[in-house]
Amino acid sequence: MEEMKMGVVGQVLAVCSDKSMGIGITVWDMETGDRVMHIPTCASPPHGLLCLNDRFLVASQVSRYRSVGGGSVFTWSLNKSQSPLRSYPIEAIGPLASTKDGVYLAGGSPSGNVYLWQVTRGTLLKTWFAHRKPLNCMTFSEDDALLISGSEDGMICVWCMISLLDVENFNNSPLLYCLVDHVSSITGLLTTTSMFISSSLDCTCKAWGLISGSPIQTQEYSIGITAIVLDPTEEHLFSGSIDGTIFINVLHIGLEEDPFIFAEDQPVELKGHNGSITAMTFSALGLLSASTDCTVCLWNVASGVIMRRFDHRKGKLNPTHHHLLMVLASISSLLPAPNHRRVFNQFRVSLLGKFPELDKLSRGMITTLHSCPSLEENHTLGDSGSTSSMNRQILEMQQGQSPGALEMKVDINIENRIWALSMAKHVIEMNKHLQSRLLDMMQMRLFWGAESNSTSAKKSKKLKVEKPPLETEKPSQLQG
């Protein structure tokens, strides 16, 4: 990494492309526009770059993507000038997604498999066959209770994290539901507390109920949509297209518990890119959009004006059709952590596991959708009573591992158990909410059914009354 130059405290923008490893990742200060860091070797596939815990950059590498075997995921610490942590999964990894706290990392492969790791230890918790086509994008729900994945054939699947982390019921499928309404590749997924939105090359964006998966509304466009983002108030949907146009649609919150619906008005358009939009996000300064024209634009949305343009090119060359990826981080994450912070902030990353645990595999745990693979009991749900977990702990103590490290593992076990319990409570609440919504829907259908029958009866009665005069007039019309 190059020596860092600090600007005004705020946010930094990290950008990389999917073409040349030599271009690498460039990091800019959003406030000043100055380049503060450059990582020389990186090229990531679409949705393959993320900021983990606001301290690490994680990127799947495109060099082997869609190959038969072998992949790589690189991790850089933003506050340390050192070589990346290189992990080599069993196959190439495309899109990445992480929980808000950075504890869990999910990766999708071109074969349709999904991998789930525990980051601090690098343990491969589960891998399963999720899609028949390559994974395009993934995201977690706002409360991290659900994992949503979209594939090249337009299918969207929603997975329950509690089932994925369940150490006892391996045969229970974590799949909640699948959606097949899109007829082309999924290009974007985003979530709110009550719904999620998907975009596709089939020229549509669709809103879905998060719990039930029921369709809410479809917004149609004249061109394929390649990226989406909601503004911080969740009142506007920004949809980037193949030709570089960004459409802005107003979202309305309905009465009572009705979810968002799209406005019927014509969308506002932002034009400034010469290539397809590949990524969008909101910073503290405004909307950011990346494009295959190798630029990132910072927009003043109210005026439709580009305030700053970041050029991600190598030297004087002008490469085209580069799929740019971008993420935001706080600029303070680039500063070395003081000693007092190091004591309390123990979050760290490890090499990502290539295989599940051998002791589980020997007992016949198959890595499929309905029979998920191994799970390290002594850190996922605090199952310290298992024999294999105890044996590992004894072996680590015999090898002279420090008491501090063992104490940190115990803390991780407790945190994971608390997380799992909170997720269980959340699912119970979601079920109650879903039951209430279903009852409301049934009542509304009965009401509208009764109204419809009444209206039909009135129309039928009116037609019977009006029919004789028409027949009496028919002879006079013929005579005329």
Side-chain angles (χ1 to χ4, degrees):
M1 298 184 186
E2 292 184 353
E3 183 178 357
M4 295 177 291
K5 301 172 287 184
M6 293 296 101
V8 179
V9 175
Q11 291 179 307
V12 292
L13 169 68
V15 180
C16 77
S17 78
D18 66 338
K19 293 295 183 183
S20 173
M21 295 287 287
I23 296 178
I25 299 176
T26 305
V27 182
W28 286 280
D29 186 331
M30 288 291 299
E31 189 74 24
T32 64
D34 296 334
R35 190 174 75 167
V36 296
M37 181 189 299
H38 181 252
I39 300 173
T41 305
C42 181
S44 297
H47 301 281
L49 175 69
L50 59 83
C51 184
L52 190 71
N53 200 247
D54 202 35
R55 293 178 54 196
F56 301 92
L57 287 180
V58 183
S60 54
Q61 300 304 300
V62 78
S63 57
R64 285 184 163 182
Y65 188 64
R66 295 185 183 276
S67 61
V68 175
S72 57
V73 178
F74 290 0
T75 304
W76 296 267
S77 176
L78 286 172
N79 61 0
K80 294 180 181 179
S81 298
Q82 61 184 20
S83 299
L85 195 65
R86 293 177 170 88
S87 302
Y88 297 95
I90 194 171
E91 63 177 321
I93 299 297
L96 296 172
S98 69
T99 53
K100 304 301 182 293
D101 56 8
V103 173
Y104 298 102
L105 176 71
S109 73
S111 67
N113 289 330
V114 175
Y115 295 79
L116 183 65
W117 290 277
Q118 206 271 5
V119 173
T120 57
R121 289 188 170 189
T123 309
L124 178 58
L125 302 179
K126 288 193 177 177
T127 175
W128 68 98
F129 184 66
H131 291 265
R132 296 178 181 177
K133 295 292 184 179
L135 271 292
N136 277 2
C137 50
M138 308 173 71
T139 188
F140 284 90
S141 59
E142 291 294 310
D143 55 7
D144 293 330
L146 303 175
L147 173 63
I148 307 172
S149 58
S151 67
E152 199 173 81
D153 60 0
M155 178 178 287
I156 299 172
C157 292
V158 180
W159 313 91
C160 177
M161 279 294 289
I162 293 179
S163 297
L164 291 172
L165 300 176
D166 192 346
V167 296
E168 298 294 339
N169 299 319
F170 289 98
N171 293 323
N172 287 346
S173 172
L175 180 64
L176 292 183
Y177 52 83
C178 283
L179 305 171
V180 292
D181 287 32
H182 284 292
V183 296
S184 188
S185 181
I186 303 298
T187 57
L189 293 169
L190 56 87
T191 63
T192 69
T193 55
S194 61
M195 75 175 195
F196 73 93
I197 301 174
S198 59
S199 63
S200 172
L201 293 179
D202 64 6
C203 308
T204 65
C205 289
K206 295 179 181 290
W208 314 86
L210 187 61
I211 301 174
S212 63
S214 57
I216 298 174
Q217 192 75 24
T218 297
Q219 179 67 50
E220 297 183 353
Y221 299 91
S222 59
I223 193 169
I225 301 301
T226 53
I228 52 174
V229 70
L230 283 173
D231 72 334
T233 64
E234 297 184 353
E235 294 179 355
H236 299 85
L237 175 69
F238 292 75
S239 306
S241 66
I242 292 177
D243 68 354
T245 303
I246 300 174
F247 302 101
I248 307 176
N249 290 90
V250 179
L251 299 176
H252 293 288
I253 300 178
L255 299 176
E256 299 178 356
E257 295 185 355
D258 289 344
F260 294 110
I261 58 173
F262 291 93
E264 296 181 357
D265 300 334
Q266 290 296 322
V268 178
E269 298 180 2
L270 299 178
K271 294 181 180 291
H273 284 290
N274 296 321
S276 175
I277 305 298
T278 60
M280 293 192 296
T281 188
F282 266 90
S283 70
L285 299 177
L287 172 69
L288 286 165
S289 60
S291 170
T292 55
D293 62 11
C294 296
T295 65
V296 176
C297 292
L298 174 62
W299 297 83
N300 182 324
V301 176
S303 62
V305 174
I306 298 175
M307 298 185 291
R308 180 173 290 122
R309 191 184 294 267
F310 301 91
D311 197 342
H312 189 64
R313 290 179 172 87
K314 181 72 172 179
K316 295 183 179 180
L317 299 179
N318 185 19
T320 58
H321 305 297
H322 280 225
H323 191 114
L324 293 191
L325 297 86
M326 61 178 176
V327 293
L328 291 172
S330 61
I331 201 167
S332 60
S333 63
L334 275 66
L335 298 169
N339 293 331
H340 70 275
R341 282 184 57 190
R342 294 175 187 171
V343 174
F344 296 104
N345 192 348
Q346 296 293 334
F347 186 87
R348 61 187 66 187
V349 297
S350 301
L351 287 173
L352 302 179
K354 192 168 187 176
F355 299 103
E357 288 182 342
L358 294 178
D359 58 346
K360 284 289 186 182
L361 292 177
S362 65
R363 292 201 294 269
M365 297 303 175
I366 309 299
T367 58
T368 63
L369 177 63
H370 297 288
S371 181
C372 296
S374 65
L375 189 61
E376 190 169 344
E377 301 94 332
N378 64 332
H379 83 279
T380 315
L381 292 178
D383 187 11
S384 59
S386 79
T387 303
S388 61
S389 176
M390 292 176 65
N391 289 337
R392 278 193 300 273
Q393 292 180 5
I394 293 172
L395 179 61
E396 289 171 352
M397 293 178 69
Q398 289 175 347
Q399 291 175 346
Q401 194 166 13
S402 65
L406 294 175
E407 183 178 351
M408 188 173 67
K409 289 184 178 182
V410 173
D411 292 339
I412 293 174
N413 291 341
I414 294 173
E415 291 176 0
N416 287 331
R417 179 178 286 275
I418 294 173
W419 184 89
L421 291 174
S422 65
M423 289 298 100
K425 292 180 180 178
H426 177 73
V427 169
I428 293 173
E429 291 297 325
M430 286 196 303
N431 288 336
K432 291 181 179 178
H433 177 71
L434 178 59
Q435 292 175 1
S436 176
R437 292 300 302 274
L438 289 174
L439 290 174
D440 292 342
M441 290 174 62
M442 291 175 64
Q443 291 178 356
M444 289 298 295
R445 286 182 178 179
L446 291 174
F447 172 77
W448 288 112
E451 288 289 327
S452 177
N453 292 336
S454 176
T455 304
S456 299
K458 290 180 180 179
K459 289 183 178 179
S460 176
K461 185 176 180 181
K462 184 177 181 181
L463 289 173
K464 289 179 180 179
V465 173
E466 294 178 350
K467 191 172 182 180
L470 291 175
E471 292 180 350
T472 57
E473 292 175 0
K474 189 173 181 181
S476 63
Q477 292 176 354
L478 291 174
Q479 291 175 5

